[in-house]
Amino acid sequence: MLDIQRIRNRPDDVARALARRGLDHALDGVLELDGRRRAALAEVEALKKDRNDRSREIGATVKAGGDAGAARDGVRRIGERIAEIETDLAEVEARLGDALLGIPNLPDASVPDGRSSDDNVVVHTWGTPREFDFQPRAHWDLGVELGILDFERAAKLAGARFAVYLREGAALERALIQFMLDLQTREHGYVEVIPPFMVNAAALRGTGQLPKFEADLFRVEPGGFHLVPTAEVPLTNLHAGEILEPGTLPLAYTAYTPCFRSEAGSYGKDVRGLIRLHQFNKVELVHITAPEDSGTALERMTMHAEEVLRRLELPYRRVVLCAGDMGFSAVKTYDLEVWLPGQAAYREISSCSNCGDFQARRAAMRFRREIGGKPEFVHTLNGSGLAAGRTFVAVLENYQEADGSVTVPAVLRPYLGGLTRISRS
């Protein structure tokens, strides 16, 4: 959530920043509602002071033996007016709150201008795509022929956009998750968490999924819970409503969870394979820092995600997203795109974002620099480290052989009992 003081004091700057996202009228009505709220608060405060002054006068009149009936009627009318204003004020505050919840974060000055993915900028590229002496195949054919993926039986169980992993496929997905968690906890210092896979609406509001993206979520009844769209939600909200004491920051958490997304609006996109499913596995990275440290933390977290790809020896590139292509809560985002030879294209495998104090304001997460110091909002960051299903895709397509088998990357072999190759059963 944006700071209303920032909007109030620098409306033109905020409007220009939102225009970079392609939102030319995002502030429409916000300043008017804020003005009405402030005027109502001022009137209520003045009326309460008047009521208190009159009440003291009534007390003095009664003490002196005088008639205070008319004065009491005046105080009663003031109370009625206060109640009317407070009723209107509650409505205005609710409307203002809803309006603020619908406004995205402001892009950092270092973010390039642009309206779509065509305007994103490649920062660097790592690794050289393998040259095949045969036509590389897509994972949806490789996995099915190897007997390690089954989309037809998944559709029988749950419908489209689901997958069943079998045999070495199930083991490979599990090995990838374990490898990612071990790397981040043992070498990069993350605290591993197993969070709930269902969360309440407050947690989703805190990270920005609600109310704007409700159509992308799966709701569970009874209880009104939602299945997590990403572990970013429970990890970031671990400290919702808290004031962290001096010396607590920075915090770095990692978690594996299944992720559940309705993929609203994705009709016709990536209908084959594992790229865009309703349920997929992911290892998430979350940082909570002091404001001055979040820029450095974004670079560090992105390198931690990149290290997974380097150890798997998968060619990739880092891309900085333009202002119009960033997610709702981000001030700056790097995407990591892995090379998929079966599709002859780079595809997103991780998105790493600095959200500034945007989520912290929504979730009321603050910290103190010194004992007894004034609380300040923390900065939050999140990133995929990585999406396991898409990493599975990258391994199959980059390590495939002419006979249809797949070589197991060296770093994963200890997790698979020394298995070096996945072949047809």
Side-chain angles (χ1 to χ4, degrees):
M1 180 182 293
L2 297 183
D3 182 3
I4 187 61
Q5 295 266 18
R6 185 177 185 182
I7 296 174
R8 184 185 300 148
N9 297 334
R10 300 167 60 188
D12 292 341
D13 290 345
V14 174
R16 278 192 293 271
L18 290 171
R20 295 183 65 205
R21 281 184 170 267
L23 301 173
D24 296 324
H25 303 287
L27 293 185
D28 286 359
V30 170
L31 291 173
E32 186 266 336
L33 287 168
D34 181 52
R36 287 176 57 186
R37 174 182 175 274
R38 295 170 70 195
L41 287 171
E43 185 176 357
V44 166
E45 184 177 347
L47 287 170
K48 286 182 176 178
K49 181 179 183 305
D50 186 21
R51 182 175 62 181
N52 290 338
D53 291 343
R54 294 192 185 202
S55 294
R56 283 193 293 270
E57 291 174 1
I58 289 171
T61 299
V62 171
K63 186 176 181 181
D67 182 6
R72 285 194 176 98
D73 287 342
V75 168
R76 176 181 53 77
R77 286 192 295 272
I78 291 174
E80 291 172 350
R81 176 57 182 159
I82 290 173
E84 291 175 1
I85 296 172
E86 288 181 336
T87 298
D88 292 340
L89 179 61
E91 179 187 352
V92 169
E93 287 182 330
R95 290 173 59 193
L96 178 60
D98 289 343
L100 289 172
L101 286 174
I103 298 175
N105 209 345
L106 306 182
D108 186 76
S110 66
V111 171
D113 288 330
R115 294 298 176 92
S116 72
S117 58
D118 294 335
D119 301 309
N120 296 339
V121 178
V122 177
V123 177
H124 70 74
T125 301
W126 185 92
T128 302
R130 174 183 166 191
E131 292 186 8
F132 291 84
D133 57 8
F134 60 93
Q135 182 62 41
R137 306 172 67 195
H139 69 280
W140 53 76
D141 291 327
L142 284 167
V144 170
E145 292 191 10
L146 286 169
I148 62 174
L149 287 176
D150 194 323
F151 298 104
E152 291 186 3
R153 287 189 171 90
K156 179 173 64 175
L157 295 172
R161 296 191 186 276
F162 287 92
V164 169
Y165 293 78
L166 300 163
R167 304 180 183 87
E168 294 94 338
L172 177 60
E173 179 91 348
R174 177 164 46 85
L176 284 165
I177 293 167
Q178 188 64 61
F179 160 64
M180 294 173 190
L181 289 171
D182 286 349
L183 174 64
Q184 304 303 346
T185 57
R186 297 175 183 177
E187 299 190 33
H188 296 155
Y190 287 77
V191 174
E192 184 176 355
V193 178
I194 299 177
F197 296 168
M198 294 188 293
V199 292
N200 57 32
L204 289 158
R205 279 193 297 271
T207 44
Q209 280 80 14
L210 285 179
K212 190 173 180 63
F213 302 103
E214 186 167 9
D216 295 325
L217 303 170
F218 283 109
R219 185 177 174 89
V220 179
E221 296 291 356
F225 298 105
H226 290 83
L227 298 175
V228 293
T230 165
E232 168 200 347
V233 178
L235 290 182
T236 303
N237 280 280
L238 283 174
H239 297 287
E242 297 182 18
I243 300 176
L244 301 174
E245 292 304 320
T248 303
L249 300 179
L251 295 168
Y253 294 117
T254 186
Y256 152 72
T257 65
C259 303
F260 304 90
R261 299 182 186 177
S262 73
E263 294 295 340
S266 66
Y267 179 79
K269 298 179 181 177
D270 298 312
V271 294
R272 301 187 69 186
L274 300 173
I275 295 296
R276 199 179 298 274
L277 299 179
H278 289 312
Q279 175 186 322
F280 61 94
N281 298 311
K282 182 157 67 80
V283 171
E284 187 74 4
L285 310 175
V286 163
H287 286 231
I288 301 175
T289 75
E292 65 273 14
D293 296 330
S294 64
T296 301
L298 176 61
E299 302 298 324
R300 184 167 59 249
M301 181 178 65
T302 305
M303 288 189 290
H304 293 163
E306 289 179 337
E307 187 62 21
V308 177
L309 294 168
R310 290 175 183 248
R311 303 239 180 145
L312 290 168
E313 300 182 75
L314 294 171
Y316 72 92
R317 65 187 185 185
R318 184 199 290 200
V319 177
V320 60
L321 300 194
C322 70
D325 197 38
M326 289 196 308
F328 182 79
S329 298
V331 299
K332 184 173 184 177
T333 297
Y334 290 121
D335 272 4
L336 302 182
E337 298 178 344
V338 68
W339 175 252
L340 299 182
Q343 302 172 49
Y346 284 97
R347 298 298 302 268
E348 178 198 337
I349 197 167
S350 173
S351 190
C352 298
S353 298
N354 181 0
C355 297
D357 64 4
F358 187 81
Q359 293 177 328
R361 288 181 180 278
R362 297 169 76 105
M365 289 183 286
R366 295 179 291 171
F367 77 108
R368 288 190 175 94
R369 295 182 183 273
E370 57 188 14
I371 296 175
K374 181 181 178 180
E376 302 176 42
F377 286 106
V378 300
H379 279 198
T380 62
L381 305 94
N382 63 81
S384 308
L386 304 165
R390 294 191 179 197
T391 311
F392 182 101
V393 168
V395 168
L396 258 60
E397 294 196 6
N398 281 277
Y399 282 89
Q400 62 181 294
E401 305 298 343
D403 64 358
S405 65
V406 174
T407 300
V408 176
V411 73
L412 296 180
R413 293 173 188 175
Y415 295 93
L416 292 166
L419 182 69
T420 62
R421 185 178 298 270
I422 301 174
S423 303
R424 292 186 181 90
S425 300

